[in-house]
Amino acid sequence: MIIIKPEIALLLLFNSVIRSLSSSTGHASEKYSHPLCNANFNADPVFPVAKSVTDVTQLFDGIGLPDGACVFNPAVVHVAGRIYCLFARVYQATEPLRRCKPGYLDRSPFLDGWRGRSTNILAVLRLRKRSDSRQLHAKLLGYSYLGQSNHEDGRLFKDMHGRVFVYMALPLGTSPERAVVNTVSRVLIRCIYALNNCSVSLGHPRLLSYFGSESVMDKNWVPWNGTAFMSYSRYGTLGPHSIFNWGSYDEPTFHTGFDAVAEDSVFPRFAAYYGKLMHLSGGSPAILEEGGQSFLAIGHLKAHPGCFHPEVTPAWANMSSPNLLPGVQNRCAHLAQSSNASQKAEELREAFSFGDAASIGVHYPLDYAFFFYRFSASAPYNMTHISYGFIPYIGGRAADHTGIVFPIGLERFGKSDYIITYGDSDQASKILLMSSVHVNAMLWHLSKIAERLDEYVVCALPCHGVPDCMQ
Ligand SMILES: *[C@@H]1O[C@H](CO)[C@@H](O)[C@H](O)[C@H]1NC(C)=O
Ligand SMILES: *[C@@H]1O[C@H](CO)[C@@H](O)[C@H](O)[C@H]1NC(C)=O
Ligand SMILES: *[C@@H]1O[C@H](CO)[C@@H](O)[C@H](O)[C@H]1NC(C)=O
Ligand SMILES: *[C@@H]1O[C@H](CO)[C@@H](O)[C@H](O)[C@H]1NC(C)=O
Ligand SMILES: *[C@@H]1O[C@H](CO)[C@@H](O)[C@H](O)[C@H]1NC(C)=O
């Protein structure tokens, strides 16, 4: 998901040290967390909340993964009953001091320059919700450590025959001479229910060939569960919604173009307004919604950190709006309004910290968030709805988060809830549980978003009835 050259990582560390030496005591403003989502940010007058966030990273402790491995970006698919399959990334830093440690999120692989070993794990879990707890209870029933090579992020889904597949963008080479090859592979799962014991393995890859793009970094495509369709990931703009029909995943058809394209004017307008200050792209697979008329998916939003953390407001924005209030804010309109085209096109590749010795260098140079979107299940599959950006509220100060939450899985949980699996800080695997009523309430019709582009926010989604989702 994130590639940073070693020299940039060193620069990041160096800048952090400089800042720690030059910063005095922190401002009170640094104590604020990202602003909580509230009813004003919803299409319906519902106060949006999650039910819980469950950290499942510790399931992978003591099973023979490399020492100090980070396990993150877990894809998910439902297998049967309470059984789910996960596919996650595993990273072991070269330097022992930078290795992951349970309970800590300050060991970002990017701070290690991604020079360590990247591998993957397939796992089968039983997930249930006990009536006396908000969190999910997860038990590991089996796993397969794919320790030979790096498959990066996978997306799990079922094809039209109910068979489990994983979509992967396999990396080739190292940056800058780097490309990805898009594939699908069967995931074979066998369970002996009486023994709570499952075996899971990866089948042979099949190529998803698309020769219409100049980008050699094509990835984050969006499989539509229960079909042989995928959305092509348009970096930055999300639209036009561009669709492949692979025919079947046994013999995916060769593509030089798309099988359907549908555009809505909000996407070019969003892109023109924000440029790369805030941009939208694919995240999880899409799943059919109740009624069968539409698909729901989660995208990932990347943003200039100065959108939300005034401490890192670029100089040009300070010059045009010198009276910017300190504190964490929830929108990016101030940067969009004060920037010109070249400033909007610039992606931030510079370190920053929050001036607090305890959190130096933890934040990634960009902020990440989730958003929901919906598209029609009939041709040409127009997108119809989108939510504002949100991050799970896991407490603490804004300075305590690293800026990276990456949505990778979406599944149903029971009759009326969804689970969203995501990677936290490239170090942990988490599951956000949310009711479909709240998901629906967060979705705005595209025409409504078009009217309020400057109000597009990123907020922290609280958990119902508790001060912090991890409780
Ligand atoms: C499942 O059974 C296999 C073979 O008997 C055994 O090696 C493995 O440890 C068991 N796995 C679990 C999670 O109990
Ligand atoms: C995914 O697709 C399969 C059909 O292969 C279907 O049985 C399952 O219910 C779908 N999952 C969701 C969440 O819609
Ligand atoms: C759906 O997309 C098509 C193709 O871009 C477009 O012509 C049509 O107007 C769209 N329909 C709606 C309702 O937006
Ligand atoms: C812009 O202003 C903010 C708030 O006053 C400050 O923290 C930040 O360092 C400034 N940015 C630059 C590049 O000077
Ligand atoms: C954008 O603004 C900067 C000054 O902040 C200026 O140097 C640059 O030439 C401008 N670029 C364009 C394309 O207008």
Side-chain angles (χ1 to χ4, degrees):
M1 161 184 107
I2 292 145
I3 308 122
I4 274 225
K5 291 189 220 165
E7 57 272 25
I8 297 179
L10 291 176
L11 187 69
L12 293 171
L13 292 171
F14 182 68
N15 281 356
S16 305
V17 171
I18 297 294
R19 283 179 191 242
S20 73
L21 294 175
S22 62
S23 69
S24 51
T25 51
H27 300 288
S29 63
E30 288 160 1
K31 300 271 188 278
Y32 294 114
S33 184
H34 277 269
L36 292 184
C37 300
N38 65 45
N40 294 337
F41 302 152
N42 264 21
D44 287 351
V46 167
F47 196 104
V49 289
K51 290 191 169 178
S52 64
V53 169
T54 305
D55 187 344
V56 295
T57 322
Q58 65 279 7
L59 286 177
F60 304 104
D61 283 352
I63 62 165
L65 295 186
D67 183 44
C70 311
V71 183
F72 59 102
N73 291 7
V76 69
V77 72
H78 179 237
V79 178
R82 290 170 173 161
I83 299 184
Y84 291 79
C85 179
L86 296 191
F87 177 92
R89 289 177 68 172
V90 176
Y91 178 81
Q92 188 197 35
T94 320
E95 253 190 70
L97 282 177
R98 298 207 185 287
R99 292 192 179 150
C100 275
K101 196 169 163 183
Y104 288 79
L105 287 179
D106 59 351
R107 320 277 157 113
S108 224
F110 96 88
L111 289 174
D112 188 50
W114 289 99
R115 282 165 299 189
R117 237 167 97 66
S118 291
T119 50
N120 296 85
I121 188 165
L122 265 169
V124 183
L125 316 181
R126 192 180 58 209
L127 276 186
R128 56 180 165 193
K129 189 167 173 317
R130 292 187 176 142
S131 53
D132 61 349
S133 165
R134 295 168 182 277
Q135 309 230 319
L136 298 177
H137 181 263
K139 182 179 165 61
L140 189 64
L141 304 184
Y143 64 92
S144 173
Y145 174 52
L146 310 172
Q148 300 307 311
S149 58
N150 174 19
H151 300 284
E152 265 182 37
D153 290 323
R155 305 308 197 279
L156 289 166
F157 64 99
K158 287 179 174 168
D159 74 351
M160 57 278 229
H161 309 297
R163 302 178 303 178
V164 175
F165 279 85
V166 59
Y167 156 69
M168 296 186 291
L170 298 166
L172 287 180
T174 47
S175 186
E177 284 171 349
R178 189 173 186 274
V180 297
V181 173
N182 289 282
T183 66
V184 282
S185 301
R186 280 283 304 273
V187 174
L188 305 156
I189 301 166
R190 280 197 180 73
C191 292
I192 304 170
Y193 291 95
L195 299 179
N196 273 335
N197 186 317
C198 300
S199 69
V200 56
S201 61
L202 197 61
H204 290 293
R206 293 195 172 83
L207 196 61
L208 299 175
S209 42
Y210 169 54
F211 292 98
S213 163
E214 294 186 356
S215 166
V216 292
M217 292 296 291
D218 269 358
K219 54 180 188 169
N220 292 331
W221 294 356
V222 178
W224 304 5
N225 178 68
T227 76
F229 286 70
M230 281 189 190
S231 307
Y232 177 73
S233 212
R234 295 266 179 200
Y235 288 97
T237 57
L238 194 65
H241 195 206
S242 309
I243 291 119
F244 299 120
N245 177 0
W246 300 111
S248 94
Y249 287 118
D250 295 311
E251 285 182 60
T253 54
F254 179 92
H255 278 70
T256 52
F258 301 114
D259 295 293
V261 176
E263 181 61 309
D264 186 284
S265 60
V266 74
F267 295 108
R269 288 185 54 202
F270 190 97
Y273 190 73
Y274 289 109
K276 287 188 174 177
L277 293 175
M278 191 151 78
H279 62 156
L280 309 172
S281 186
S284 78
I287 60 176
L288 200 60
E289 293 190 277
E290 209 161 322
Q293 303 297 305
S294 56
F295 280 90
L296 175 74
I298 302 165
H300 83 270
L301 177 154
K302 266 203 292 199
H304 189 297
C307 294
F308 312 117
H309 303 283
E311 305 88 310
V312 283
T313 309
W316 46 261
N318 277 354
M319 282 187 277
S320 59
S321 45
N323 298 321
L324 214 63
L325 288 178
V328 175
Q329 57 222 358
N330 56 24
R331 350 178 154 175
C332 199
H334 63 290
L335 285 199
Q337 282 157 7
S338 60
S339 59
N340 64 32
S342 67
Q343 288 155 342
K344 280 180 191 171
E346 168 194 315
E347 238 188 286
L348 187 97
R349 285 290 180 211
E350 149 192 331
F352 66 91
S353 72
F354 292 90
D356 176 334
S359 57
I360 288 300
V362 173
H363 202 291
Y364 188 72
L366 298 170
D367 253 305
Y368 280 73
F370 310 165
F371 62 90
F372 293 112
Y373 63 97
R374 172 181 285 154
F375 59 86
S376 164
S378 39
Y381 314 106
N382 298 55
M383 299 219 197
T384 59
H385 294 75
I386 191 169
S387 76
Y388 285 139
F390 65 97
I391 57 175
Y393 180 68
I394 50 164
R397 304 159 309 158
D400 294 333
H401 88 139
T402 70
I404 304 174
V405 281
F406 196 78
I408 198 119
L410 172 66
E411 252 300 355
R412 287 183 186 286
F413 188 80
K415 276 202 190 70
S416 55
D417 290 342
Y418 289 115
I419 50 175
I420 298 162
T421 52
Y422 68 97
D424 191 347
S425 316
D426 291 337
Q427 293 159 74
S429 294
K430 295 187 176 173
I431 306 178
L432 176 81
L433 176 67
M434 205 172 163
S435 87
S436 57
V437 172
H438 285 195
V439 172
N440 291 336
M442 288 175 80
L443 283 156
W444 292 87
H445 193 271
L446 292 183
S447 61
K448 294 285 179 217
I449 285 291
E451 287 167 15
R452 50 180 75 220
L453 280 184
D454 56 341
E455 287 175 29
Y456 197 88
V457 300
V458 170
C459 55
L461 187 70
C463 277
H464 182 66
V466 286
D468 175 332
C469 283
M470 297 305 283
Q471 293 178 3

